[in-house]
Amino acid sequence: MRVLVVEDDEEMALTVAAGLRRARMAVDVALDGASGLERALCNDYDVIVLDRDLPAMHGDDVCAELIAAGCRCRILMLTAAATTEDLVDGLGLGADDYLSKPFDFRALVARIGALARRAHPAVPPVLRHGDLVVDTARRHATRGSQPLDLAPKEFGVLELLLAAEGRVVSAEELLERVWDEAADPFTNAVKITVSRLRAKLGEPAVIETVAKSGYRI
């Protein structure tokens, strides 16, 4: 799951990003509306957490621009205002959900997860392949009866491969969807992560390498 946080309060933005990364999400941060809009139009995000009360370029304008551009990501608006009118206005602009500040961080994580599942229809919250089970809502995985101790990137790769239902997923797509914008496009991080993931999954192997194409379940 890849998320963009657009929030002008740098301390809050970095705190939210750190918490979402602990929840095994890939997170980018923008500290103003203009750079947030630019990132959103250039990258394939599942969810954008958008502060409504941004200076210079208001969050409403960012949301409207994204909708006009046909952006398919889900938008969760944050605001210090909590009136019914604000809720109606925010959803009327095309936002998918609305959360007032201050908020319970667990609620934020749950709402982002729910929106991400809606961003990719027909993908169930629990993914299965044989005795391998990945609960995307609770962010944990098991094989047989044993829990798997997966690092965030390992979990993200496994989730994406299972959701693909046998389709070959290229290393480039994995890098785009699981890593953030700081990832080096020429890195071998995907190969290393897949190798570590295979070791943790054990036998029989469930991840196949397709020569010159990528990986699949």
Side-chain angles (χ1 to χ4, degrees), residues 7-182:
E7 166 63 62
D8 64 304
D9 183 328
E10 184 172 3
E11 182 177 357
M12 181 177 181
L14 296 179
T15 298
V16 168
L20 296 181
R21 290 179 183 123
R22 286 195 296 272
R24 302 183 178 185
M25 302 180 193
V27 185
D28 295 334
V29 173
L31 298 177
D32 61 78
S35 61
L37 177 62
E38 181 180 4
R39 283 180 169 85
L41 294 176
C42 291
N43 296 293
D44 184 18
Y45 293 106
D46 297 294
V47 178
I48 297 175
V49 179
L50 175 63
D51 181 27
R52 189 179 186 193
D53 307 306
L54 295 170
M57 187 174 191
H58 197 272
D60 288 358
D61 298 325
V62 175
C63 184
E65 289 282 352
L66 290 173
I67 299 302
C71 183
R72 296 189 299 170
C73 61
R74 300 298 180 176
I75 300 172
L76 171 60
M77 270 195 169
L78 300 178
T79 182
T83 66
T84 300
E85 290 75 13
D86 290 308
L87 170 62
V88 171
D89 288 346
L91 297 178
L93 289 165
D96 299 281
D97 201 356
Y98 199 92
L99 190 61
S100 60
K101 301 176 184 177
F103 51 82
D104 185 295
F105 193 79
R106 294 170 301 174
L108 176 65
V109 171
R111 286 171 183 251
I112 290 173
L115 289 176
R117 290 191 294 275
R118 286 167 52 192
H120 302 282
V123 177
V126 178
L127 302 169
R128 303 176 187 273
H129 179 80
D131 61 349
L132 175 61
V133 179
V134 173
D135 188 327
T136 63
R138 294 180 174 83
R139 312 303 292 172
H140 73 254
T142 60
R143 187 162 195 192
S145 59
Q146 299 301 313
L148 298 171
D149 182 18
L150 302 181
K153 295 296 184 286
E154 294 164 355
F155 187 94
V157 167
L158 181 58
E159 179 182 6
L160 193 56
L161 289 176
L162 283 170
E165 298 182 322
R167 173 179 65 84
V168 176
V169 181
S170 68
E172 291 78 11
E173 182 178 350
L174 287 169
L175 193 65
E176 167 71 19
R177 296 289 306 282
V178 179
W179 276 258
D180 58 30
E181 63 184 359

